[in-house]
Amino acid sequence: WVCGPVGRGGEPQRAIQPAAKCDDGVSGYSQHKSFRCPHNAARSGEQIRPRRLDPEEAARVIAGCSVVVGLHPDQATGDIVDFALETNKPFALVPCCTFAQTFQDRVLADGKRVSTYEDLLTWLRQKDEGRIKQTTLSAPGRNVVLYRTEG
């Protein structure tokens, strides 16, 4: 998608209002909303409706993936890692919220309940000790990536 001041054909677009600024420049969301972006279905009054997959098709699509990616997946964080490990697929994950109250059964190897973001990262790494790596993106906000490259 080419959003913001340039349309799909590279033509300039007129701003409706100035885009909001962030520490990292122009916010993509604000930029998208501030310009007459051809990709924004709400501008034409359309609603974006996701296509529903039947369970068999969903299982086929997921089983056929070559890598699993989760970007701020909220409550699905642990399941993404579990699926990647169970299917022996490489993965990259940017965890965000801990959801300590929702997942009170998450416990670290030392018996401590997962209650902080650092605990969450440790708990996820402990699922495959030594093979799940961690790095940091040069972006603001939650920017820790947990990954495993080999299946």
Side-chain angles (χ1 to χ4, degrees):
W1 289 26
V2 180
C3 297
V6 180
R8 285 188 181 181
E11 73 282 1
Q13 298 193 81
R14 187 178 65 80
I16 296 169
Q17 63 189 28
K21 295 282 183 179
C22 295
D23 291 340
D24 63 339
V26 178
S27 162
Y29 177 78
S30 295
Q31 186 179 33
H32 184 75
K33 294 296 181 189
S34 297
F35 288 86
R36 294 186 189 280
C37 179
H39 311 106
N40 187 342
R43 292 244 185 264
S44 62
E46 298 173 30
Q47 293 296 319
I48 299 172
R49 290 183 174 76
R51 183 172 69 90
R52 292 198 176 266
L53 296 177
D54 65 71
E56 292 80 23
E57 184 182 3
R60 205 170 35 258
V61 168
I62 292 170
C65 74
S66 59
V67 64
V68 182
V69 178
L71 302 174
H72 294 253
D74 291 330
Q75 292 95 328
T77 300
D79 294 328
I80 288 171
V81 174
D82 291 343
F83 172 76
L85 295 175
E86 289 169 14
T87 58
N88 205 31
K89 295 182 185 286
F91 72 89
L93 176 73
V94 180
C96 54
C97 303
T98 304
F99 291 100
Q101 294 304 315
T102 304
F103 297 105
Q104 295 184 23
D105 59 332
R106 290 179 175 173
V107 179
L108 299 173
D110 65 4
K112 179 182 181 256
R113 202 169 139 270
V114 173
S115 61
T116 68
Y117 183 67
E118 288 304 318
D119 290 345
L120 176 64
L121 297 175
T122 300
W123 178 75
L124 291 166
R125 285 192 313 268
Q126 287 177 349
K127 289 178 172 285
D128 194 4
E129 198 81 50
R131 293 182 60 196
I132 297 177
K133 308 295 183 207
Q134 179 174 321
T135 192
T136 304
L137 300 172
S138 60
R142 294 287 192 212
N143 58 2
V144 173
V145 179
L146 297 179
Y147 66 97
R148 190 181 76 161
T149 54
E150 73 280 353

